[in-house]
Short mmCIF file of all heavy atoms in Angstrom, two decimals:
data_model
loop_
_atom_site.label_atom_id
_atom_site.label_comp_id
_atom_site.label_asym_id
_atom_site.label_seq_id
_atom_site.Cartn_x
_atom_site.Cartn_y
_atom_site.Cartn_z
N MET A 66 -5.34 -1.50 3.25
CA MET A 66 -4.74 -0.21 2.91
C MET A 66 -5.01 0.16 1.46
O MET A 66 -4.31 0.97 0.87
CB MET A 66 -3.25 -0.22 3.22
CG MET A 66 -2.51 -1.44 2.73
SD MET A 66 -0.95 -1.60 3.64
CE MET A 66 -0.21 -3.00 2.82
N GLY A 67 -6.02 -0.49 0.89
CA GLY A 67 -6.39 -0.17 -0.48
C GLY A 67 -6.18 -1.33 -1.43
O GLY A 67 -6.69 -1.36 -2.53
N LYS A 195 -16.62 -10.72 -10.31
CA LYS A 195 -16.33 -9.31 -10.54
C LYS A 195 -17.16 -8.38 -9.65
O LYS A 195 -17.19 -7.18 -9.89
CB LYS A 195 -16.56 -8.97 -12.02
CG LYS A 195 -15.55 -9.65 -12.92
CD LYS A 195 -15.50 -9.03 -14.30
CE LYS A 195 -14.27 -9.53 -15.05
NZ LYS A 195 -14.24 -9.09 -16.44
N ARG A 198 -16.29 -4.66 -4.19
CA ARG A 198 -15.77 -4.91 -2.84
C ARG A 198 -16.73 -4.40 -1.77
O ARG A 198 -17.42 -3.41 -1.96
CB ARG A 198 -14.45 -4.16 -2.68
CG ARG A 198 -13.28 -4.88 -3.25
CD ARG A 198 -12.14 -3.94 -3.54
NE ARG A 198 -11.70 -3.17 -2.39
CZ ARG A 198 -10.55 -2.51 -2.35
NH1 ARG A 198 -9.75 -2.54 -3.40
NH2 ARG A 198 -10.20 -1.82 -1.30
N LYS A 204 -16.33 3.72 1.87
CA LYS A 204 -15.30 4.61 1.31
C LYS A 204 -15.89 5.70 0.43
O LYS A 204 -15.25 6.73 0.24
CB LYS A 204 -14.24 3.78 0.58
CG LYS A 204 -13.34 3.05 1.57
CD LYS A 204 -12.31 2.15 0.92
CE LYS A 204 -11.40 1.54 1.98
NZ LYS A 204 -10.40 0.63 1.40
N VAL A 205 -17.07 5.51 -0.12
CA VAL A 205 -17.66 6.59 -0.92
C VAL A 205 -18.59 7.47 -0.08
O VAL A 205 -19.01 8.53 -0.54
CB VAL A 205 -18.43 6.09 -2.18
CG1 VAL A 205 -17.52 5.28 -3.07
CG2 VAL A 205 -19.68 5.31 -1.80
N PHE A 211 -10.49 5.74 9.27
CA PHE A 211 -9.04 5.66 9.08
C PHE A 211 -8.37 6.00 10.41
O PHE A 211 -9.04 6.44 11.36
CB PHE A 211 -8.60 6.63 7.99
CG PHE A 211 -9.13 6.27 6.63
CD1 PHE A 211 -10.36 6.73 6.19
CD2 PHE A 211 -8.39 5.44 5.78
CE1 PHE A 211 -10.85 6.38 4.94
CE2 PHE A 211 -8.88 5.10 4.53
CZ PHE A 211 -10.11 5.56 4.11
N ILE A 213 -6.65 8.49 11.18
CA ILE A 213 -6.79 9.90 11.51
C ILE A 213 -8.20 10.22 12.02
O ILE A 213 -8.42 11.30 12.60
CB ILE A 213 -6.42 10.77 10.28
CG1 ILE A 213 -5.95 12.15 10.71
CG2 ILE A 213 -7.58 10.84 9.30
CD1 ILE A 213 -5.26 12.93 9.62
N ASP A 214 -9.13 9.29 11.84
CA ASP A 214 -10.52 9.53 12.25
C ASP A 214 -10.83 8.99 13.64
O ASP A 214 -11.97 9.13 14.12
CB ASP A 214 -11.48 8.88 11.25
CG ASP A 214 -11.28 9.40 9.83
OD1 ASP A 214 -10.90 10.59 9.70
OD2 ASP A 214 -11.49 8.64 8.88
N ARG A 265 -7.36 20.59 20.50
CA ARG A 265 -7.70 20.57 19.08
C ARG A 265 -6.42 20.55 18.26
O ARG A 265 -5.40 21.09 18.69
CB ARG A 265 -8.50 21.84 18.70
CG ARG A 265 -9.86 21.97 19.35
CD ARG A 265 -10.85 20.94 18.80
NE ARG A 265 -12.18 21.10 19.34
CZ ARG A 265 -12.63 20.47 20.43
NH1 ARG A 265 -11.83 19.64 21.11
NH2 ARG A 265 -13.87 20.66 20.84
N PHE A 266 -6.52 19.97 17.05
CA PHE A 266 -5.33 19.91 16.21
C PHE A 266 -4.80 21.31 15.91
O PHE A 266 -3.60 21.57 15.98
CB PHE A 266 -5.62 19.18 14.89
CG PHE A 266 -4.48 19.24 13.92
CD1 PHE A 266 -3.37 18.43 14.09
CD2 PHE A 266 -4.47 20.15 12.86
CE1 PHE A 266 -2.29 18.50 13.22
CE2 PHE A 266 -3.40 20.23 11.99
CZ PHE A 266 -2.31 19.40 12.17
N TRP A 267 -5.69 22.22 15.55
CA TRP A 267 -5.23 23.53 15.11
C TRP A 267 -4.52 24.26 16.24
O TRP A 267 -3.52 24.96 16.01
CB TRP A 267 -6.41 24.34 14.57
CG TRP A 267 -5.98 25.56 13.83
CD1 TRP A 267 -6.19 26.86 14.18
CD2 TRP A 267 -5.20 25.60 12.62
NE1 TRP A 267 -5.62 27.70 13.27
CE2 TRP A 267 -5.00 26.96 12.30
CE3 TRP A 267 -4.67 24.61 11.78
CZ2 TRP A 267 -4.29 27.36 11.17
CZ3 TRP A 267 -3.97 25.02 10.66
CH2 TRP A 267 -3.78 26.37 10.36
N ARG A 268 -5.00 24.09 17.45
CA ARG A 268 -4.35 24.74 18.60
C ARG A 268 -3.00 24.07 18.89
O ARG A 268 -2.02 24.76 19.19
CB ARG A 268 -5.26 24.65 19.81
CG ARG A 268 -6.46 25.58 19.68
CD ARG A 268 -7.41 25.40 20.82
NE ARG A 268 -8.11 26.65 21.11
CZ ARG A 268 -8.94 26.83 22.13
NH1 ARG A 268 -9.16 25.83 22.98
NH2 ARG A 268 -9.54 27.98 22.32
N LYS A 271 -0.67 25.35 16.15
CA LYS A 271 -0.23 26.74 16.34
C LYS A 271 0.85 26.81 17.43
O LYS A 271 1.83 27.55 17.30
CB LYS A 271 -1.42 27.63 16.72
CG LYS A 271 -2.23 28.09 15.51
CD LYS A 271 -3.16 29.24 15.86
CE LYS A 271 -4.34 28.75 16.71
NZ LYS A 271 -5.34 29.81 16.96
N ALA A 350 9.97 9.12 -1.46
CA ALA A 350 9.06 9.24 -0.32
C ALA A 350 7.82 8.37 -0.54
O ALA A 350 7.45 8.09 -1.68
CB ALA A 350 8.64 10.70 -0.16
N HIS A 351 7.20 7.95 0.55
CA HIS A 351 5.97 7.15 0.43
C HIS A 351 4.77 8.04 0.15
O HIS A 351 3.94 7.72 -0.69
CB HIS A 351 5.71 6.38 1.73
CG HIS A 351 6.71 5.34 2.05
ND1 HIS A 351 7.92 5.61 2.64
CD2 HIS A 351 6.68 4.00 1.86
CE1 HIS A 351 8.59 4.48 2.79
NE2 HIS A 351 7.86 3.49 2.34
N ALA A 352 4.69 9.14 0.92
CA ALA A 352 3.59 10.09 0.76
C ALA A 352 2.23 9.39 0.71
O ALA A 352 1.45 9.59 -0.21
CB ALA A 352 3.79 10.96 -0.48
N MET A 354 -1.54 8.96 1.28
CA MET A 354 -2.52 10.06 1.25
C MET A 354 -2.92 10.46 2.67
O MET A 354 -3.11 11.63 2.96
CB MET A 354 -3.74 9.59 0.46
CG MET A 354 -4.49 10.69 -0.23
SD MET A 354 -3.51 11.50 -1.48
CE MET A 354 -3.80 13.18 -1.07
N PRO A 356 -1.67 11.25 6.07
CA PRO A 356 -0.37 11.46 6.70
C PRO A 356 -0.24 10.55 7.92
O PRO A 356 -1.24 10.07 8.46
CB PRO A 356 -0.42 12.94 7.13
CG PRO A 356 -1.55 13.55 6.38
CD PRO A 356 -2.52 12.45 6.10
N ARG A 436 1.74 17.13 6.76
CA ARG A 436 2.29 16.58 5.51
C ARG A 436 3.78 16.88 5.42
O ARG A 436 4.57 16.05 4.95
CB ARG A 436 1.54 17.18 4.30
CG ARG A 436 2.11 16.80 2.95
CD ARG A 436 2.16 15.30 2.70
NE ARG A 436 0.84 14.71 2.68
CZ ARG A 436 0.60 13.41 2.73
NH1 ARG A 436 1.60 12.53 2.81
NH2 ARG A 436 -0.63 12.96 2.73
N VAL A 635 -11.35 -7.48 -10.48
CA VAL A 635 -11.45 -6.03 -10.67
C VAL A 635 -10.47 -5.31 -9.74
O VAL A 635 -9.79 -4.35 -10.12
CB VAL A 635 -12.90 -5.55 -10.45
CG1 VAL A 635 -13.00 -4.05 -10.68
CG2 VAL A 635 -13.85 -6.30 -11.38
N GLY A 639 -7.06 -3.14 -10.65
CA GLY A 639 -6.85 -1.83 -10.02
C GLY A 639 -5.49 -1.74 -9.36
O GLY A 639 -4.84 -0.69 -9.38
N GLN A 640 -5.05 -2.84 -8.76
CA GLN A 640 -3.72 -2.85 -8.15
C GLN A 640 -2.64 -2.69 -9.22
O GLN A 640 -1.64 -2.02 -9.00
CB GLN A 640 -3.48 -4.16 -7.40
CG GLN A 640 -4.13 -4.20 -6.04
CD GLN A 640 -3.61 -3.10 -5.15
OE1 GLN A 640 -2.46 -3.07 -4.78
NE2 GLN A 640 -4.47 -2.15 -4.82
N GLY A 643 -3.10 0.99 -10.67
CA GLY A 643 -2.70 1.91 -9.60
C GLY A 643 -1.21 1.79 -9.29
O GLY A 643 -0.54 2.79 -9.04
N PHE A 647 1.65 4.68 -9.41
CA PHE A 647 2.58 4.87 -8.29
C PHE A 647 4.03 4.84 -8.80
O PHE A 647 4.86 5.68 -8.45
CB PHE A 647 2.35 3.76 -7.26
CG PHE A 647 2.92 4.03 -5.90
CD1 PHE A 647 2.19 4.73 -4.95
CD2 PHE A 647 4.18 3.57 -5.55
CE1 PHE A 647 2.71 4.97 -3.67
CE2 PHE A 647 4.71 3.81 -4.29
CZ PHE A 647 3.96 4.52 -3.35
N ASN A 668 6.15 19.57 0.84
CA ASN A 668 4.74 19.24 0.63
C ASN A 668 4.60 18.81 -0.82
O ASN A 668 5.60 18.70 -1.54
CB ASN A 668 3.85 20.43 0.99
CG ASN A 668 2.47 19.97 1.47
OD1 ASN A 668 1.81 19.17 0.83
ND2 ASN A 668 2.04 20.49 2.61
N PRO A 675 1.33 12.70 -9.97
CA PRO A 675 0.49 12.70 -11.17
C PRO A 675 -0.95 13.06 -10.81
O PRO A 675 -1.44 12.65 -9.76
CB PRO A 675 0.58 11.26 -11.69
CG PRO A 675 1.25 10.46 -10.64
CD PRO A 675 1.82 11.37 -9.61
N LEU A 677 -5.04 13.57 -12.67
CA LEU A 677 -5.84 12.92 -13.71
C LEU A 677 -5.32 13.26 -15.11
O LEU A 677 -5.22 12.39 -15.98
CB LEU A 677 -7.30 13.36 -13.54
CG LEU A 677 -8.37 12.53 -14.23
CD1 LEU A 677 -8.26 11.06 -13.91
CD2 LEU A 677 -9.75 13.05 -13.84
N VAL A 680 -2.18 11.17 -16.52
CA VAL A 680 -2.13 9.71 -16.60
C VAL A 680 -2.58 9.25 -17.99
O VAL A 680 -3.71 9.51 -18.40
CB VAL A 680 -3.00 9.08 -15.49
CG1 VAL A 680 -3.05 7.57 -15.64
CG2 VAL A 680 -2.43 9.46 -14.12
N ASP B 16 -11.28 28.30 17.55
CA ASP B 16 -10.64 29.59 17.27
C ASP B 16 -11.04 30.05 15.86
O ASP B 16 -11.12 29.24 14.94
CB ASP B 16 -9.11 29.46 17.33
CG ASP B 16 -8.63 29.02 18.71
OD1 ASP B 16 -9.45 29.05 19.66
OD2 ASP B 16 -7.45 28.63 18.84
N ASP B 18 -9.49 31.44 13.50
CA ASP B 18 -8.57 31.16 12.39
C ASP B 18 -8.50 29.66 12.05
O ASP B 18 -7.75 29.26 11.16
CB ASP B 18 -7.17 31.70 12.71
CG ASP B 18 -6.55 31.03 13.94
OD1 ASP B 18 -7.31 30.37 14.70
OD2 ASP B 18 -5.33 31.18 14.16
N THR B 19 -9.26 28.85 12.75
CA THR B 19 -9.25 27.41 12.47
C THR B 19 -9.76 27.15 11.05
O THR B 19 -10.80 27.64 10.67
CB THR B 19 -10.16 26.66 13.47
OG1 THR B 19 -9.74 26.95 14.79
CG2 THR B 19 -10.13 25.16 13.23
N PRO B 20 -9.02 26.37 10.27
CA PRO B 20 -9.54 26.02 8.95
C PRO B 20 -10.84 25.23 9.07
O PRO B 20 -11.00 24.41 9.98
CB PRO B 20 -8.43 25.15 8.35
CG PRO B 20 -7.20 25.52 9.11
CD PRO B 20 -7.67 25.85 10.49
N TRP B 23 -10.72 21.51 9.90
CA TRP B 23 -10.56 21.01 11.28
C TRP B 23 -11.81 21.26 12.11
O TRP B 23 -12.12 20.49 13.02
CB TRP B 23 -9.30 21.60 11.92
CG TRP B 23 -8.09 21.07 11.22
CD1 TRP B 23 -7.31 21.72 10.31
CD2 TRP B 23 -7.56 19.73 11.32
NE1 TRP B 23 -6.32 20.89 9.83
CE2 TRP B 23 -6.45 19.66 10.44
CE3 TRP B 23 -7.91 18.60 12.05
CZ2 TRP B 23 -5.70 18.51 10.28
CZ3 TRP B 23 -7.16 17.45 11.91
CH2 TRP B 23 -6.07 17.40 11.03
N ARG B 26 -14.10 18.41 11.19
CA ARG B 26 -13.65 17.12 11.73
C ARG B 26 -13.73 17.07 13.26
O ARG B 26 -14.20 16.08 13.83
CB ARG B 26 -12.20 16.84 11.29
CG ARG B 26 -12.04 16.58 9.80
CD ARG B 26 -10.59 16.29 9.45
NE ARG B 26 -10.06 15.20 10.26
CZ ARG B 26 -10.25 13.91 10.01
NH1 ARG B 26 -10.92 13.54 8.95
NH2 ARG B 26 -9.75 12.99 10.81
N GLU B 27 -13.25 18.11 13.91
CA GLU B 27 -13.09 18.01 15.37
C GLU B 27 -14.25 18.63 16.15
O GLU B 27 -14.53 18.19 17.26
CB GLU B 27 -11.76 18.64 15.78
CG GLU B 27 -10.57 17.88 15.21
CD GLU B 27 -9.23 18.32 15.77
OE1 GLU B 27 -9.16 19.43 16.32
OE2 GLU B 27 -8.26 17.55 15.64
N GLU B 28 -14.90 19.68 15.61
CA GLU B 28 -16.03 20.27 16.35
C GLU B 28 -17.32 19.52 16.03
O GLU B 28 -18.16 19.32 16.90
CB GLU B 28 -16.20 21.76 15.99
CG GLU B 28 -14.94 22.60 16.11
CD GLU B 28 -14.39 22.65 17.52
OE1 GLU B 28 -15.18 22.61 18.48
OE2 GLU B 28 -13.15 22.72 17.66
N THR B 32 -15.93 13.47 9.95
CA THR B 32 -14.57 13.06 9.60
C THR B 32 -14.44 12.50 8.18
O THR B 32 -13.37 12.05 7.80
CB THR B 32 -14.05 12.00 10.60
OG1 THR B 32 -15.01 10.94 10.65
CG2 THR B 32 -13.89 12.59 11.99
N GLY B 33 -15.53 12.55 7.42
CA GLY B 33 -15.42 12.12 6.02
C GLY B 33 -14.53 13.06 5.22
O GLY B 33 -13.92 12.67 4.23
N LYS B 35 -11.20 14.89 4.62
CA LYS B 35 -9.88 14.42 5.06
C LYS B 35 -8.80 15.48 5.00
O LYS B 35 -8.81 16.35 4.13
CB LYS B 35 -9.44 13.23 4.18
CG LYS B 35 -10.37 12.04 4.22
CD LYS B 35 -10.51 11.44 5.60
CE LYS B 35 -11.28 10.14 5.58
NZ LYS B 35 -12.09 9.93 6.79
N PHE B 36 -7.83 15.33 5.88
CA PHE B 36 -6.61 16.13 5.86
C PHE B 36 -5.57 15.39 5.02
O PHE B 36 -5.24 14.24 5.30
CB PHE B 36 -6.11 16.29 7.30
CG PHE B 36 -4.71 16.85 7.42
CD1 PHE B 36 -4.36 18.05 6.82
CD2 PHE B 36 -3.75 16.18 8.16
CE1 PHE B 36 -3.07 18.56 6.95
CE2 PHE B 36 -2.46 16.69 8.30
CZ PHE B 36 -2.11 17.88 7.69
N GLY B 37 -5.06 16.09 3.98
CA GLY B 37 -4.03 15.44 3.17
C GLY B 37 -2.75 16.25 3.11
O GLY B 37 -1.66 15.69 3.07
N CYS B 38 -2.89 17.59 3.08
CA CYS B 38 -1.69 18.41 2.90
C CYS B 38 -1.75 19.71 3.68
O CYS B 38 -0.73 20.25 4.08
CB CYS B 38 -1.46 18.70 1.42
SG CYS B 38 -2.71 19.81 0.72
N VAL B 40 -2.34 22.57 2.58
CA VAL B 40 -1.91 23.74 1.81
C VAL B 40 -2.70 23.90 0.50
O VAL B 40 -2.28 24.63 -0.40
CB VAL B 40 -0.39 23.68 1.49
CG1 VAL B 40 0.42 23.68 2.77
CG2 VAL B 40 -0.04 22.45 0.64
N CYS B 43 -3.94 19.02 -2.42
CA CYS B 43 -4.33 17.64 -2.70
C CYS B 43 -5.81 17.42 -2.92
O CYS B 43 -6.21 16.46 -3.58
CB CYS B 43 -3.83 16.71 -1.59
SG CYS B 43 -4.77 16.82 -0.06
N ILE B 73 -19.31 15.43 2.52
CA ILE B 73 -19.59 14.10 1.94
C ILE B 73 -20.72 13.40 2.70
O ILE B 73 -21.51 12.67 2.11
CB ILE B 73 -18.30 13.22 1.93
CG1 ILE B 73 -18.52 11.89 1.21
CG2 ILE B 73 -17.80 12.95 3.34
CD1 ILE B 73 -18.59 11.97 -0.27
N GLN B 88 -21.51 8.80 -6.25
CA GLN B 88 -21.16 7.70 -5.33
C GLN B 88 -21.55 6.35 -5.93
O GLN B 88 -20.79 5.37 -5.84
CB GLN B 88 -21.86 7.90 -3.98
CG GLN B 88 -21.31 9.10 -3.20
CD GLN B 88 -22.19 9.47 -2.02
OE1 GLN B 88 -23.41 9.58 -2.14
NE2 GLN B 88 -21.57 9.67 -0.86
N GLN B 95 -15.93 0.60 -9.28
CA GLN B 95 -14.96 0.13 -8.27
C GLN B 95 -13.73 1.03 -8.25
O GLN B 95 -12.59 0.56 -8.38
CB GLN B 95 -14.59 -1.33 -8.51
CG GLN B 95 -15.84 -2.23 -8.54
CD GLN B 95 -15.54 -3.69 -8.34
OE1 GLN B 95 -14.72 -4.03 -7.51
NE2 GLN B 95 -16.22 -4.55 -9.07
N GLN B 98 -9.52 2.61 -3.79
CA GLN B 98 -8.59 1.61 -3.24
C GLN B 98 -8.52 1.86 -1.74
O GLN B 98 -9.38 1.41 -1.01
CB GLN B 98 -7.25 1.65 -3.96
CG GLN B 98 -7.39 1.10 -5.40
CD GLN B 98 -6.08 0.97 -6.15
OE1 GLN B 98 -5.02 0.88 -5.56
NE2 GLN B 98 -6.15 0.97 -7.46
N CYS B 99 -7.51 2.60 -1.27
CA CYS B 99 -7.51 2.87 0.17
C CYS B 99 -8.70 3.73 0.55
O CYS B 99 -9.19 3.67 1.67
CB CYS B 99 -6.20 3.51 0.62
SG CYS B 99 -6.11 5.30 0.39
N TYR B 101 -8.95 6.97 0.89
CA TYR B 101 -8.72 8.18 1.68
C TYR B 101 -9.01 9.46 0.88
O TYR B 101 -9.55 10.41 1.40
CB TYR B 101 -7.28 8.19 2.20
CG TYR B 101 -7.04 9.23 3.27
CD1 TYR B 101 -7.41 8.98 4.60
CD2 TYR B 101 -6.45 10.45 2.97
CE1 TYR B 101 -7.19 9.93 5.59
CE2 TYR B 101 -6.22 11.39 3.96
CZ TYR B 101 -6.58 11.13 5.26
OH TYR B 101 -6.37 12.07 6.24
N ARG B 126 -10.50 15.85 -17.14
CA ARG B 126 -9.08 15.75 -16.81
C ARG B 126 -8.50 17.07 -16.34
O ARG B 126 -7.61 17.10 -15.49
CB ARG B 126 -8.29 15.24 -18.03
CG ARG B 126 -8.54 13.76 -18.31
CD ARG B 126 -7.68 13.25 -19.46
NE ARG B 126 -7.95 11.85 -19.72
CZ ARG B 126 -7.38 10.83 -19.06
NH1 ARG B 126 -6.48 11.08 -18.12
NH2 ARG B 126 -7.68 9.59 -19.34
N ILE B 132 -5.41 14.77 -5.77
CA ILE B 132 -4.38 13.73 -5.81
C ILE B 132 -4.93 12.41 -5.27
O ILE B 132 -5.59 12.40 -4.23
CB ILE B 132 -3.16 14.13 -4.95
CG1 ILE B 132 -2.47 15.37 -5.54
CG2 ILE B 132 -2.16 12.97 -4.83
CD1 ILE B 132 -1.34 15.92 -4.67
N ARG B 134 -3.10 8.95 -4.32
CA ARG B 134 -1.82 8.27 -4.25
C ARG B 134 -1.92 6.81 -4.66
O ARG B 134 -0.94 6.21 -5.11
CB ARG B 134 -1.26 8.40 -2.82
CG ARG B 134 0.14 7.87 -2.62
CD ARG B 134 1.16 8.56 -3.51
NE ARG B 134 2.52 8.28 -3.11
CZ ARG B 134 3.52 8.11 -3.96
NH1 ARG B 134 3.30 8.19 -5.27
NH2 ARG B 134 4.74 7.90 -3.52
N CYS B 135 -3.10 6.22 -4.51
CA CYS B 135 -3.28 4.83 -4.93
C CYS B 135 -3.36 4.73 -6.45
O CYS B 135 -3.35 3.62 -6.99
CB CYS B 135 -4.52 4.21 -4.31
SG CYS B 135 -4.45 4.11 -2.52
N GLY B 136 -3.50 5.88 -7.13
CA GLY B 136 -3.51 5.85 -8.59
C GLY B 136 -4.80 5.30 -9.16
O GLY B 136 -4.77 4.52 -10.11
N TYR B 138 -6.85 6.87 -10.88
CA TYR B 138 -7.25 7.71 -12.01
C TYR B 138 -7.82 6.96 -13.21
O TYR B 138 -8.77 7.42 -13.84
CB TYR B 138 -6.07 8.56 -12.49
CG TYR B 138 -5.41 9.41 -11.43
CD1 TYR B 138 -4.12 9.14 -11.01
CD2 TYR B 138 -6.09 10.50 -10.86
CE1 TYR B 138 -3.50 9.93 -10.05
CE2 TYR B 138 -5.47 11.28 -9.90
CZ TYR B 138 -4.18 10.99 -9.50
OH TYR B 138 -3.57 11.77 -8.56
N ARG B 140 -9.80 4.70 -13.62
CA ARG B 140 -11.23 4.40 -13.59
C ARG B 140 -12.09 5.65 -13.41
O ARG B 140 -13.31 5.57 -13.51
CB ARG B 140 -11.53 3.43 -12.45
CG ARG B 140 -11.00 2.05 -12.76
CD ARG B 140 -11.34 1.03 -11.71
NE ARG B 140 -10.71 -0.23 -12.07
CZ ARG B 140 -10.56 -1.24 -11.26
NH1 ARG B 140 -11.02 -1.16 -10.03
NH2 ARG B 140 -9.96 -2.34 -11.67
#
Side-chain angles (χ1 to χ4, degrees):
Chain A
M66 47 200 184
K195 292 197 167 174
R198 278 159 56 166
K204 287 177 176 179
V205 302
F211 294 89
I213 205 166
D214 302 328
R265 295 289 184 269
F266 173 77
W267 193 246
R268 288 175 150 185
K271 277 195 288 185
H351 294 81
M354 208 64 228
R436 174 58 63 193
V635 181
Q640 280 301 294
F647 197 87
N668 209 310
L677 197 52
V680 176
Chain B
D16 298 348
D18 62 345
T19 303
W23 293 103
R26 292 181 54 82
E27 295 190 341
E28 308 298 328
T32 53
K35 300 300 188 213
F36 168 55
C38 69
V40 299
C43 75
I73 185 75
Q88 291 168 312
Q95 304 198 41
Q98 289 186 23
C99 83
Y101 193 81
R126 288 184 181 275
I132 295 174
R134 186 59 166 143
C135 297
Y138 305 113
R140 289 183 184 165

